[in-house]
Amino acid sequence: MSEQKAGGEPAVSTPESGSSKIETPDGGAGRLREVFRSDHPAVLTILAIVAAVVIGSILIIASDQATRTAASYFTAAPMDTFSAAWHAVSGAYVAIFEGSILNPSSLSSGDTATIFGPISETIVSATPLIFAGLSVTLAFRAGLFNIGAQGQILLAAIFAGYVGFSWHLPVVLHVIVAVLAGILGGALWAGLAGVLKAKTGAHEVITTIMLNYVALGLIQYLLGVHGFQAKPYNQAISPPVDHNALYPHLFGSALRANVAFLVAIAATVAVAWLLGRSTFGFRLRTVGANQDAARTAGISISRVYIVVMLIVGALAGLAGSAQVLGTSPQVTSDIDAGFGFDAITVSLLGRGSPIGTFWAGMLFGALRAGSVQLLASTNTPSDLVQVLQALIVLFIAAPGLVRLIFRLRRGAGGQTAVVAKGWNG
């Protein structure tokens, strides 16, 4: 109802400041369209994966011999080229799906191991990636760059493996003690870099990379020492871990997935709680966002660095334990299997979020598992998986390129806001 102004003119009522916005007729659908038109981090991540798949498809077509042959007579029979290209691309991605999720042809067999084998292999590959990815993510949130997950995994494998094959304890106790030994090994190795950072200012990128080489040299030395090397001492490999120290299988002995995956889920929840709910998590994020402000607020920067690196190393230690107490129950110099450096890409894809890191680890685990089927059933090299991983990281690291390709509208605050939200919470 209009109010009367002093001069006799009716005053038009307007919404007061802070009142609810007028909803558009399409309501939630309109807001959803706005999200997909903006550079929301989740949208950028999904579109980065889509762009990587498209470029991967082009590379498959270019490398496929049948497609190149059909292209040589394209003007005479153009559909032959399109058919060959479609067969090559669809065959490659179907093979990855069948090797990582489910092979429909296995359903008729009724064999549980055959049906659930692909998803089991995905879990096996994803578990160490999740642990190591969480390690890198937590360091990132504190403003640190943990490039030493490889060395921390190797030290954890040394500690957990030694307890596993040289000690003889009851079933449940043995695996717990071996896992704790792996956590201790990883924490000590990362903690060393944390102490150097806190006390001397040594950059953690340099120290963690150098410690990777030290850890590799140490494990190679130990694998030549009697007592750590397996008899008859002619191979650089340790004795097998005692059965009592191994993680129990999740779906029976026919499938390799084990309880380490449940520990990875618990670790994801714990890191999410630490960052979002705990007092130390608040201090950690404050140090990562602005050291000067943290110091003014009375937060001990050096203490945060040391504690963070100890936790970071413990998470990487869980990755090493998952390897030597799970899927590779003998210590070798390549026990890390590249998980240490792949963890950096997993963390990038997860955009600094523990939950995002978990799903990024699952995606990269699926790609690893699917590469085996890709090599076995198609003419496409399994290196395609590494190319896809590299492309995903490339597009994640260059969101402006994704915006350009998909014509996204820059959100409020621009890219700075997106990065701040992704890495500093």
Side-chain angles (χ1 to χ4, degrees):
M1 193 172 184
S2 301
E3 298 179 359
Q4 193 76 12
K5 282 186 178 181
E9 297 179 7
V12 180
S13 59
T14 59
E16 296 182 1
S17 177
S19 62
S20 300
K21 293 181 181 179
I22 299 174
E23 294 289 341
T24 57
D26 54 0
R31 288 194 297 272
L32 187 62
R33 281 198 298 271
E34 283 297 308
V35 170
F36 279 95
R37 288 176 54 197
S38 69
D39 55 359
H40 189 279
V43 175
L44 288 174
T45 300
I46 294 171
L47 293 181
I49 296 173
V50 171
V53 169
V54 171
I55 295 179
S57 301
I58 296 172
L59 295 176
I60 293 171
I61 293 171
S63 62
D64 182 60
Q65 181 61 48
T67 304
R68 294 201 304 268
T69 301
S72 64
Y73 57 88
F74 178 81
T75 54
M79 291 306 300
D80 286 0
T81 303
F82 293 123
S83 176
W86 170 253
H87 183 269
V89 172
S90 62
Y93 289 121
V94 166
I96 292 175
F97 177 84
E98 291 178 348
S100 60
I101 307 298
L102 176 68
N103 188 341
S105 62
S106 67
L107 296 176
S108 59
S109 67
D111 181 23
T112 304
T114 304
I115 295 172
F116 294 103
I119 193 65
S120 172
E121 290 304 306
T122 293
I123 290 174
V124 165
S125 298
T127 300
L129 283 172
I130 294 169
F131 283 130
L134 290 172
S135 170
V136 177
T137 292
L138 189 62
F140 272 141
R141 297 297 290 270
L144 299 170
F145 294 88
N146 179 30
I147 314 298
Q150 179 192 23
Q152 294 147 26
I153 290 173
L154 292 177
L155 257 291
I158 291 173
F159 278 55
Y162 183 77
V163 170
F165 66 71
S166 66
W167 294 16
H168 302 285
L169 301 172
V171 179
V172 177
L173 181 61
H174 201 172
V175 67
I176 291 175
V177 173
V179 170
L180 291 176
I183 291 173
L184 177 63
L188 288 176
W189 210 242
L192 178 58
V195 170
L196 291 172
K197 172 75 172 180
K199 301 302 182 182
T200 69
H203 202 289
E204 70 280 1
V205 171
I206 303 300
T207 56
T208 52
I209 288 177
M210 293 299 102
L211 285 172
N212 286 343
Y213 289 104
V214 176
L216 184 58
L218 176 61
I219 199 171
Q220 289 173 343
Y221 166 75
L222 290 174
L223 289 173
V225 174
H226 289 196
F228 201 93
Q229 184 183 22
K231 297 178 181 179
Y233 310 118
N234 59 356
Q235 294 186 61
I237 191 170
S238 77
V241 172
D242 190 278
H243 181 74
N244 288 354
L246 295 177
Y247 277 111
H249 291 273
L250 272 180
F251 310 117
S253 58
L255 298 173
R256 297 202 302 160
N258 55 64
V259 174
F261 180 64
L262 300 183
V263 180
I265 295 175
T268 303
V269 174
V271 172
W273 176 86
L274 175 68
L275 288 173
R277 299 291 181 181
S278 70
T279 302
F280 179 73
F282 172 76
R283 293 173 181 170
L284 181 157
R285 290 184 288 113
T286 303
V287 171
N290 191 320
Q291 289 187 25
D292 294 332
R295 191 176 291 107
T296 302
I299 298 174
S300 173
I301 307 296
S302 60
R303 181 177 179 274
V304 169
Y305 281 161
I306 294 173
V307 175
V308 166
M309 289 305 291
L310 286 172
I311 299 174
V312 159
L315 289 167
L318 284 170
S321 301
Q323 280 290 94
V324 76
L325 304 179
T327 54
S328 304
Q330 285 180 284
V331 181
T332 61
S333 59
D334 60 350
I335 190 71
D336 72 291
F339 290 120
F341 284 104
D342 284 352
I344 300 171
T345 61
V346 167
S347 180
L348 286 171
L349 182 57
R351 290 186 173 273
S353 161
I355 304 301
T357 300
F358 175 85
W359 289 114
M362 291 297 294
L363 173 62
F364 275 49
L367 290 174
R368 275 191 175 227
S371 65
V372 178
Q373 181 70 16
L374 177 68
L375 181 63
S377 62
T378 70
N379 294 322
T380 303
S382 59
D383 293 339
L384 170 69
V385 168
Q386 296 181 357
V387 172
L388 287 176
Q389 292 175 348
L391 287 170
I392 291 171
V393 174
L394 172 65
F395 286 116
I396 289 292
L401 182 58
V402 177
R403 272 199 307 273
L404 179 64
I405 293 173
F406 293 96
R407 295 174 176 251
L408 296 180
R409 177 176 55 81
R410 182 184 291 272
Q415 181 57 28
T416 303
V418 174
V419 173
K421 182 177 180 181
W423 291 108
N424 297 317

